[in-house]
Amino acid sequence: MVKTVRLEPIAQESAVETNGNLLSVLLHRDLSVLKECGGRGMCATCHIYVNRGMESLTPISRREQRTLAIITSCHANSRLACQARVMGNGVVVELPPGMYVNSVQDIEPLIGRRADQDLLHPLTGAVLVEKGKLITRSMLRQIENSKDLNLNDYFQHST
């Protein structure tokens, strides 16, 4: 049976099959969600806030709890869209403001510009570059030297 999910702040509604995950709703709407871990609940790139209808979603698993614990922008209403399955109507979700950085190469073309939105670390959700701040080559080197931004190694060693 089809359920309806509302996306904020874009005020759009989307249909999802019962037991379908919220990630499918976001991808269906062409929203910028990286799903860096392939939907395994191990990264922050599909982190969302459930504004209403938490009771209409499947319970949080231990893996999801562990991942949410390291996300710096986590709130009591946080979920990972890849793990939250829709069981009933009335779910209203909101994406955290900002853009998750998939790799340092994502930032290179932006050097010399001001960030249009916060640039976020894909595993922790930490702000790498604040909205309105100038993206500089030295900032890029600092991000490159961040030992925990090597996503390929992280996902190859995590199961």
Side-chain angles (χ1 to χ4, degrees), residues 17-71:
E17 288 291 325
T18 300
N19 207 32
N21 66 29
L22 287 173
L23 182 58
S24 64
V25 172
L26 302 177
L27 294 175
H28 175 72
R29 289 291 178 182
D30 293 326
L31 297 174
S32 61
V33 179
L34 292 177
K35 64 183 182 345
E36 192 61 39
C37 71
R40 295 184 293 170
M42 298 169 55
C43 71
T45 58
C46 71
H47 173 229
I48 56 164
Y49 299 117
V50 180
N51 292 343
R52 278 196 324 254
M54 188 72 86
E55 68 283 352
S56 295
L57 300 173
T58 53
I60 296 176
S61 68
R62 288 180 58 178
R63 174 177 279 178
E64 184 178 3
Q65 283 177 329
R66 285 193 306 265
T67 301
L68 288 172
I70 63 167
I71 298 174

Side-chain angles (χ1 to χ4, degrees), residues 44-149:
T45 58
C46 71
H47 173 229
I48 56 164
Y49 299 117
V50 180
N51 292 343
R52 278 196 324 254
M54 188 72 86
E55 68 283 352
S56 295
L57 300 173
T58 53
I60 296 176
S61 68
R62 288 180 58 178
R63 174 177 279 178
E64 184 178 3
Q65 283 177 329
R66 285 193 306 265
T67 301
L68 288 172
I70 63 167
I71 298 174
T72 58
S73 57
C74 186
H75 297 277
N77 64 334
S78 289
R79 289 295 306 262
L80 299 178
C82 68
Q83 300 298 299
R85 298 193 171 278
V86 181
M87 304 308 286
N89 284 312
V91 177
V92 177
V93 300
E94 181 177 344
L95 289 169
M99 179 184 97
Y100 286 101
V101 175
N102 188 24
S103 69
V104 173
Q105 289 76 20
D106 289 347
I107 303 173
E108 284 177 340
L110 304 176
I111 292 174
R113 295 180 168 174
R114 296 202 180 274
D116 292 338
Q117 54 189 325
D118 287 346
L119 300 179
L120 308 173
H121 189 285
L123 300 177
T124 65
V127 176
L128 297 170
V129 181
E130 290 179 29
K131 178 181 178 178
K133 297 281 184 177
L134 190 63
I135 301 169
T136 63
R137 210 167 278 293
S138 62
M139 188 178 289
L140 181 65
R141 276 194 293 278
Q142 184 179 1
I143 293 168
E144 280 178 325
N145 293 333
S146 174
K147 65 180 183 216
D148 61 359
L149 193 59

